[in-house]
């Protein structure tokens, strides 16, 4: 059973830093892209950051200069480093992976983690 195991998150004050990690586990798979989305109460889920297996990254305008995303090539763990956090960053953050599972399919399938809460408040 393929799962995206998320860790990190919590309650921090404005200006603080947090790190979120996501590790895909279970079975044999080939990853196209991984990333993080977030959803605040009353808002739609939005892309925060993504990274391809070639290392190309994409960051939402609202987090550029404050967040960064990286990947461990050996384990496929993806890490979202969040600096200078603001109250508007408060949301549930979801790991997402577009991947193909063995036996190989023609097209990737999107998998979601269960989500971790990030709260930025004084």
């Amino acid at each position: 059973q393929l799962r995206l195991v998320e860790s990190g998150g919590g309650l921090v004050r404005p200006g603080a830093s947090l790190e979120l990690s996501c590790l895909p586990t279970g079975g044999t798979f080939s990853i196209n892209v991984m990333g993080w989305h977030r959803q605040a109460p009353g808002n739609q889920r939005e892309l925060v950051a993504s990274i391809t297996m070639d290392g190309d990254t994409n960051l939402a305008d609202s987090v550029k200069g404050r967040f960064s995303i990286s990947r461990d090539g050996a384990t496929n763990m993806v890490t979202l480093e969040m600096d200078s956090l603001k109250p508007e960053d408060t949301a549930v953050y979801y790991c997402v992976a577009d991947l193909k599972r063995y036996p190989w399919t023609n097209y990737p399938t999107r998998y979601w983690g269960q989500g971790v809460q990030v709260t930025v408040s004084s």
Side-chain angles (χ1 to χ4, degrees):
Q1 181 79 14
L2 188 141
R3 293 192 306 138
L4 300 181
V5 180
E6 301 158 321
S7 60
L11 170 63
V12 296
R13 296 187 182 277
S17 298
L18 273 178
E19 186 176 279
L20 305 180
S21 295
C22 177
L23 179 67
T25 65
T28 301
F29 47 84
S30 175
I31 298 172
N32 285 17
V33 61
M34 289 184 66
W36 291 89
H37 290 230
R38 68 185 180 187
Q39 187 167 19
N43 289 359
Q44 290 186 332
R45 193 171 295 189
E46 61 177 1
L47 173 68
V48 177
S50 65
I51 184 167
T52 70
M53 293 305 99
D54 293 330
D56 295 327
T57 61
N58 181 37
L59 293 165
D61 288 342
S62 59
V63 305
K64 284 180 180 177
R66 300 188 298 121
F67 291 12
S68 63
I69 188 168
S70 60
R71 181 184 68 88
D72 183 320
T75 64
N76 289 315
M77 176 176 283
V78 170
T79 299
L80 181 68
E81 294 187 15
M82 305 182 292
D83 297 322
S84 303
L85 282 161
K86 303 176 181 180
E88 50 263 44
D89 294 318
T90 296
V92 177
Y93 285 68
Y94 297 91
C95 179
V96 61
D98 293 342
L99 55 84
K100 298 178 184 179
R101 296 184 63 184
Y102 181 83
W104 304 121
T105 56
N106 289 330
Y107 302 101
T109 299
R110 173 158 289 189
Y111 290 83
W112 292 91
Q114 291 188 327
V116 293
Q117 178 69 46
V118 172
T119 303
V120 185
S121 175
S122 56

